Amino acid sequence: MILKFSKMHGLGNDFMVVDGVTQKIFFSPELIKRLSDRHFGVGFDQLLLVEPPYDPEVDFHYRIFNADGSEVQMCGNGARCFVRFVVDHGLTNKRDIKVSTVSGVLRLKLNNDDSVTVNMGVPQLDPEKLPFKAEAQSESYELCVKGFDAVTIGAVSMGNPHAVINVKDVKTAPVHELGSLVEKHERFPEKVNVGFSQKVNDHEINLRVFERGCGETLACGTGACAAVVAGIVQHRLVSPVKVNLPGGSLNISWDGKNSPVMMSGPAVLVYEGQIVI
Ligand SMILES: N[C@H](CCC[C@H](N)C(=O)O)C(=O)O
């Protein structure tokens, strides 16, 4: 079978985007792992699958798979590329789109300057909902991690789970050594994305993210949202916040409590491709 796809990225977090509306395809974990390989396949952090809506109230359904083949609940950078994709491929004539995901409905807007604004929904701080094993909800938690002193984290779900570690300098933070241990920590039964956040000022942070299911990426949209929420909850940050990631910056705002997190940033098409599978 010849599979058509678009190779896209949001600040260097890169995706293989597939139109599952006009192409019928089943992606097994093995096929995804083969396609995500940067030498033997297309190479990507996540695979994004565009499907017809299951719910008449929304325009599309959107499924997300990590490079390791795991299906996950949410992808912020991917949501921006999703909008670019469905508009450019004529799958909709709207620029304000509602899309369902495994963990809820997102509202996406393609702006006149080609940036995309995403309503990322209300963050979840209840450990039960992350899921994260803790006695009670708190601004921060202590994790015991082999080979490291007690690690203090914030824990936030943006539909997918995030642990946020405050560091003095992201450039020297043990992103891979510590990130890979926290990702699989026993207190996160579904594993976790791990953000390393350095405060620049009340309205700006530098951030690196070791992502669940694919390792460190150049940017993580849900990770940026989670780091801002954790920082505001810990009274270290004030909305709006500019989040500087290795691949570029995102603008994140959150008014607290049950209000949604808003994210704006770019979405870029690198090339259209096809592959025999
Ligand atoms: N690795 C994440 C999914 C992709 C999130 C990230 N690429 C983003 O932009 O939000 C997870 O396992 O929950």
Side-chain angles (χ1 to χ4, degrees), residues 130-134 141-153 155 161-163 165 177-194 210 212-213:
L130 261 80
F132 171 53
K133 292 176 185 165
Y141 307 86
E142 296 295 314
L143 274 191
C144 294
V145 181
K146 194 168 176 302
F148 289 85
D149 298 337
V151 176
T152 303
I153 65 165
H162 289 267
I165 300 168
E177 304 78 5
L178 183 53
S180 56
L181 292 172
V182 175
E183 178 203 10
K184 302 174 182 65
H185 198 281
E186 60 182 9
R187 289 178 64 184
F188 288 99
E190 294 178 11
K191 300 182 188 175
V192 69
N193 299 283
V194 190
F210 187 94
R212 175 179 63 171

Side-chain angles (χ1 to χ4, degrees), residues 13 46 66 72 74-78 160 193 211-212 220-223:
N13 180 200
Q46 280 88 31
N66 281 322
V72 291
M74 193 61 79
C75 178
N77 288 322
N160 59 346
N193 299 283
E211 285 198 32
R212 175 179 63 171
C220 179
T222 51

